[in-house]
Amino acid sequence: MTRFIFITGGVVSSLGKGLMAASLAALLQARGYRVRIRKFDPYLNVDPGTMSPYQHGEVYVTDDGAETDLDLGHYERFTGVPSRQSDNITSGRIYQTIIAKERRGDYLGATVQVIPHVTDAIKEFARADVDGLDFVLCEIGGTVGDIESLPFMEAIRQLRNDLGRANTVSVHLTLVPYIAAAGELKTKPTQHSVRDLTSLGIQPDVLVCRSERPLPDSDRAKIALFCNVPKEAVIPALDAKSIYAVPLQYHREGLDSAVLNAFGIEPGPSPDLRRWADIMDRVDNPEGEVTVGVIGKYTGLLDAYKSLHEALVHGGMANRVKVNIRWIEGELFEQPNSDVAAQLEPCHAILVPGGFGERGTEGMIESVRFARERKVPYFGICLGMQMACIEGARNTAGLSGASTTEFGPTNEPVVGMITEWMSHEGLQQREAGGDLGGTMRLGAYPAHLSGNSHVSTIYGGSEISERHRHRYEVNVHYREALERGGLAFSGMSPDGQLPEIVERPDHPWFVGVQFHPELKSKPFDPHPLFASFIAAALRQSRLV
Ligand code: GLN
């Protein structure tokens, strides 16, 4: 029997609902349960794929090619369970499906309404694809009281009846603010938020109270009394110094036992949390530090590079070092008197991450040149690989006009729009002026690595599968010219048509990948490319 945990938030957003869901799932998993986490997003975009990274942070891509909310990245990093298309739904996707059905005449003349049609679609999504699972955690985006989230709340209320009260638990995350003038924590916002939730027919079973000061026992008792939950089910949640400390902290505060108790399950012995203790030991006791310069274009909002940031931290954990990241806007290097060397010399390694559009890319190309010439470790991811190829074409292969068709017409399309490729679903075809949503090469694709390449040593094998999200590809027709310039094509798609990895054999560490390895890195299983890159940064730090 699969049980459902519904997670809602109140008072304000950004309280760390996604991290709480991920941590609770990790704790249940450590107790031997099979878990899955889902995100319900109330906005009207069909998926976050078309949203600016400044609006919504990173778009997290799953193996099966879904463009999803960045919370799914936390879920996967904390549980190791690969997310799927069926783990993220938006109001936009629900309405899209319902309206398509209505146009086909599938509703046989009925009036199509929020209740029951939208709520039924939400319930169907929650219950699909749950075979073999003990717990499905459903996180509802937004905060209680938002107009957009009402159909989701109503669907939860109904599901609690459909599935039986014993099989569902409602966890509500709130804020207990500290009011400096009064010198006190205030429980009133939590009381109001729970009142809003109960007015929608949902009585929370567990309350998680975020606060910046320890919650006194008397406040815990007061919240329990006013909100109609047992005192042990009021879980204090203080700010943590690292996101990886959160599962241990929630366990100490009794979150996993409170949830199991709410289901009527005897929690039993403490779970085995050695994995998390080891991670925190690496965070707390680094044996050195390195600085990585990231030359990107959304550096003003770090959520835009969430998985990248975490993967670099994991690379640090693998080497027991602290990774300092120096975020640099590519545009900075395009200004007339910008001193690239002065900015990059303090960095022990340089990384150009994924991105879209031309802004800042000349600065990225300058950074690649710096890394190549100075023999500083370089890691190019997606756009960063494309920029490494353009830099190589311009400065080592004599193709001064090299560019990508993404930035406009060019005579040397070293990177070009891909209009045809094979996916799991067969031949994919695109037109230059087609829709932007959902039309990239998305999801997991295999690559074959050449026998004696650096990357085959790093991966410890020659067959890999990594996740993609891009519309343009390095043009295989330039392979020979680029290889003459020292850039080896060491990873290719199985049909040999799409360059997946380039590297410079005459450089200490220079790798460009067309995919996003950061999406698969985990704190307990750092991605080999990031572990190797940080090891190279560490060697570099000992040289300078
Ligand atoms: N803009 C490039 C493309 O679409 C790179 C995309 C990316 O870095 N994710 O191919």
Side-chain angles (χ1 to χ4, degrees), residues 353-357 381-384 386 406-407 415 440 469-473 514 516:
F356 294 82
I381 295 179
C382 208
L383 184 68
Q386 298 174 355
E406 182 174 1
F407 308 158
V415 179
M440 285 185 263
R469 180 172 186 256
H470 55 105
R471 196 168 278 115
Y472 299 84
E473 302 276 350
Q514 188 56 76
H516 290 276

CSV table of all heavy atoms in Angstrom, one decimal, residues 353-357 381-384 386 406-407 415 440 469-473 514 516, ligand 1:
chain,number,residue,atom,x,y,z
A,353,PRO,N,29.5,27.6,-17.7
A,353,PRO,CA,28.3,26.7,-17.6
A,353,PRO,C,27.4,26.9,-18.8
A,353,PRO,O,27.6,27.7,-19.7
A,353,PRO,CB,27.6,27.2,-16.3
A,353,PRO,CG,28.0,28.7,-16.3
A,353,PRO,CD,29.3,28.9,-17.0
A,354,GLY,N,26.2,26.3,-18.7
A,354,GLY,CA,25.2,26.3,-19.8
A,354,GLY,C,24.6,27.7,-19.8
A,354,GLY,O,24.6,28.5,-18.9
A,355,GLY,N,24.0,28.0,-21.0
A,355,GLY,CA,23.3,29.3,-21.1
A,355,GLY,C,22.7,29.5,-22.5
A,355,GLY,O,23.0,28.7,-23.4
A,356,PHE,N,21.9,30.5,-22.6
A,356,PHE,CA,21.3,30.8,-23.9
A,356,PHE,C,21.5,32.2,-24.3
A,356,PHE,O,21.5,33.1,-23.5
A,356,PHE,CB,19.8,30.5,-23.8
A,356,PHE,CG,19.5,29.0,-23.5
A,356,PHE,CD1,19.6,28.5,-22.3
A,356,PHE,CD2,19.2,28.1,-24.6
A,356,PHE,CE1,19.4,27.1,-22.0
A,356,PHE,CE2,19.0,26.8,-24.4
A,356,PHE,CZ,19.1,26.3,-23.1
A,357,GLY,N,21.7,32.4,-25.7
A,357,GLY,CA,21.8,33.8,-26.2
A,357,GLY,C,23.2,34.3,-26.2
A,357,GLY,O,24.1,33.7,-25.5
A,381,ILE,N,30.6,23.4,-19.9
A,381,ILE,CA,29.3,22.6,-19.9
A,381,ILE,C,28.3,23.2,-20.9
A,381,ILE,O,28.0,24.4,-20.8
A,381,ILE,CB,28.8,22.6,-18.5
A,381,ILE,CG1,29.7,21.9,-17.5
A,381,ILE,CG2,27.4,22.0,-18.4
A,381,ILE,CD1,29.3,21.8,-16.1
A,382,CYS,N,27.9,22.4,-21.8
A,382,CYS,CA,26.9,22.8,-22.8
A,382,CYS,C,27.4,24.0,-23.6
A,382,CYS,O,28.3,24.0,-24.4
A,382,CYS,CB,25.6,22.9,-22.2
A,382,CYS,SG,24.2,22.6,-23.4
A,383,LEU,N,26.8,25.2,-23.3
A,383,LEU,CA,27.3,26.4,-23.9
A,383,LEU,C,28.8,26.6,-23.7
A,383,LEU,O,29.5,27.0,-24.6
A,383,LEU,CB,26.6,27.7,-23.3
A,383,LEU,CG,26.9,29.0,-24.0
A,383,LEU,CD1,26.4,29.1,-25.4
A,383,LEU,CD2,26.3,30.2,-23.2
A,384,GLY,N,29.3,26.1,-22.6
A,384,GLY,CA,30.7,26.2,-22.3
A,384,GLY,C,31.6,25.3,-23.2
A,384,GLY,O,32.7,25.6,-23.5
A,386,GLN,N,30.5,24.6,-26.3
A,386,GLN,CA,30.4,25.3,-27.6
A,386,GLN,C,31.4,26.5,-27.7
A,386,GLN,O,32.0,26.7,-28.7
A,386,GLN,CB,29.0,25.8,-27.8
A,386,GLN,CG,28.0,24.6,-27.8
A,386,GLN,CD,26.5,25.0,-27.9
A,386,GLN,OE1,26.2,26.2,-27.8
A,386,GLN,NE2,25.6,24.0,-28.0
A,406,GLU,N,23.3,30.2,-33.3
A,406,GLU,CA,22.4,30.8,-32.3
A,406,GLU,C,22.5,32.3,-32.2
A,406,GLU,O,21.5,33.0,-31.8
A,406,GLU,CB,22.8,30.2,-30.9
A,406,GLU,CG,21.9,30.6,-29.8
A,406,GLU,CD,22.2,29.9,-28.4
A,406,GLU,OE1,23.1,29.1,-28.3
A,406,GLU,OE2,21.5,30.3,-27.5
A,407,PHE,N,23.7,32.8,-32.6
A,407,PHE,CA,23.9,34.3,-32.4
A,407,PHE,C,23.6,35.0,-33.8
A,407,PHE,O,23.9,36.2,-33.9
A,407,PHE,CB,25.3,34.6,-32.0
A,407,PHE,CG,25.7,33.9,-30.7
A,407,PHE,CD1,27.0,33.7,-30.4
A,407,PHE,CD2,24.8,33.4,-29.8
A,407,PHE,CE1,27.4,33.1,-29.3
A,407,PHE,CE2,25.1,32.7,-28.7
A,407,PHE,CZ,26.5,32.6,-28.4
A,415,VAL,N,29.2,25.9,-34.5
A,415,VAL,CA,28.1,25.3,-33.7
A,415,VAL,C,26.9,25.7,-34.5
A,415,VAL,O,26.7,26.8,-35.0
A,415,VAL,CB,28.1,26.0,-32.3
A,415,VAL,CG1,26.9,25.4,-31.5
A,415,VAL,CG2,29.4,25.7,-31.6
A,440,MET,N,13.9,21.2,-27.5
A,440,MET,CA,15.4,21.0,-27.5
A,440,MET,C,15.7,19.5,-27.5
A,440,MET,O,14.8,18.7,-27.3
A,440,MET,CB,16.0,21.7,-26.3
A,440,MET,CG,16.0,23.2,-26.4
A,440,MET,SD,16.9,24.0,-25.1
A,440,MET,CE,15.5,24.4,-24.1
A,469,ARG,N,20.2,19.4,-22.6
A,469,ARG,CA,19.1,20.4,-22.8
A,469,ARG,C,19.7,21.5,-23.7
A,469,ARG,O,20.3,22.5,-23.2
A,469,ARG,CB,18.7,21.0,-21.5
A,469,ARG,CG,17.6,22.1,-21.6
A,469,ARG,CD,17.1,22.5,-20.3
A,469,ARG,NE,16.0,23.4,-20.5
A,469,ARG,CZ,16.0,24.7,-20.3
A,469,ARG,NH1,17.2,25.3,-19.9
A,469,ARG,NH2,15.0,25.5,-20.5
A,470,HIS,N,19.7,21.3,-25.0
A,470,HIS,CA,20.2,22.3,-25.9
A,470,HIS,C,19.6,22.2,-27.3
A,470,HIS,O,19.1,21.1,-27.6
A,470,HIS,CB,21.7,22.2,-25.9
A,470,HIS,CG,22.2,20.9,-26.3
A,470,HIS,ND1,22.7,20.5,-27.5
A,470,HIS,CD2,22.2,19.7,-25.6
A,470,HIS,CE1,23.0,19.3,-27.6
A,470,HIS,NE2,22.7,18.7,-26.4
A,471,ARG,N,19.7,23.3,-28.0
A,471,ARG,CA,19.1,23.3,-29.4
A,471,ARG,C,20.2,23.2,-30.4
A,471,ARG,O,20.0,22.8,-31.6
A,471,ARG,CB,18.3,24.6,-29.5
A,471,ARG,CG,17.4,24.6,-30.7
A,471,ARG,CD,16.4,25.8,-30.5
A,471,ARG,NE,15.3,25.4,-29.6
A,471,ARG,CZ,15.1,26.1,-28.5
A,471,ARG,NH1,15.9,27.0,-28.1
A,471,ARG,NH2,14.1,25.7,-27.7
A,472,TYR,N,21.4,23.6,-30.1
A,472,TYR,CA,22.6,23.7,-31.0
A,472,TYR,C,23.6,22.6,-30.7
A,472,TYR,O,23.7,22.1,-29.6
A,472,TYR,CB,23.2,25.1,-31.0
A,472,TYR,CG,22.2,26.2,-31.3
A,472,TYR,CD1,21.3,26.7,-30.4
A,472,TYR,CD2,22.0,26.6,-32.6
A,472,TYR,CE1,20.3,27.6,-30.7
A,472,TYR,CE2,21.1,27.5,-33.0
A,472,TYR,CZ,20.2,28.0,-32.0
A,472,TYR,OH,19.2,28.9,-32.4
A,473,GLU,N,24.4,22.3,-31.8
A,473,GLU,CA,25.4,21.2,-31.6
A,473,GLU,C,26.7,21.7,-32.3
A,473,GLU,O,26.7,22.4,-33.2
A,473,GLU,CB,25.0,19.9,-32.4
A,473,GLU,CG,23.6,19.3,-32.0
A,473,GLU,CD,23.7,18.4,-30.7
A,473,GLU,OE1,24.8,18.1,-30.3
A,473,GLU,OE2,22.6,18.1,-30.2
A,514,GLN,N,28.8,18.4,-23.9
A,514,GLN,CA,27.6,19.0,-24.5
A,514,GLN,C,26.4,18.8,-23.6
A,514,GLN,O,25.4,19.4,-23.7
A,514,GLN,CB,27.3,18.4,-25.9
A,514,GLN,CG,26.2,19.0,-26.6
A,514,GLN,CD,26.4,20.5,-26.9
A,514,GLN,OE1,27.2,20.9,-27.7
A,514,GLN,NE2,25.7,21.3,-26.1
A,516,HIS,N,24.8,18.0,-19.4
A,516,HIS,CA,24.8,18.6,-18.0
A,516,HIS,C,25.1,17.6,-17.0
A,516,HIS,O,24.2,17.1,-16.3
A,516,HIS,CB,23.5,19.3,-17.8
A,516,HIS,CG,23.2,20.5,-18.6
A,516,HIS,ND1,23.7,21.7,-18.3
A,516,HIS,CD2,22.6,20.6,-19.8
A,516,HIS,CE1,23.4,22.6,-19.2
A,516,HIS,NE2,22.7,22.0,-20.2
B,1,GLN,N1,22.4,27.8,-26.1
B,1,GLN,C1,23.0,26.5,-26.4
B,1,GLN,C2,22.1,25.6,-27.1
B,1,GLN,O1,20.9,25.8,-27.2
B,1,GLN,C3,23.5,25.9,-25.1
B,1,GLN,C4,22.4,25.4,-24.2
B,1,GLN,C5,22.9,25.1,-22.8
B,1,GLN,O2,23.9,25.5,-22.4
B,1,GLN,N2,22.1,24.4,-22.1
B,1,GLN,O3,22.6,24.7,-27.8
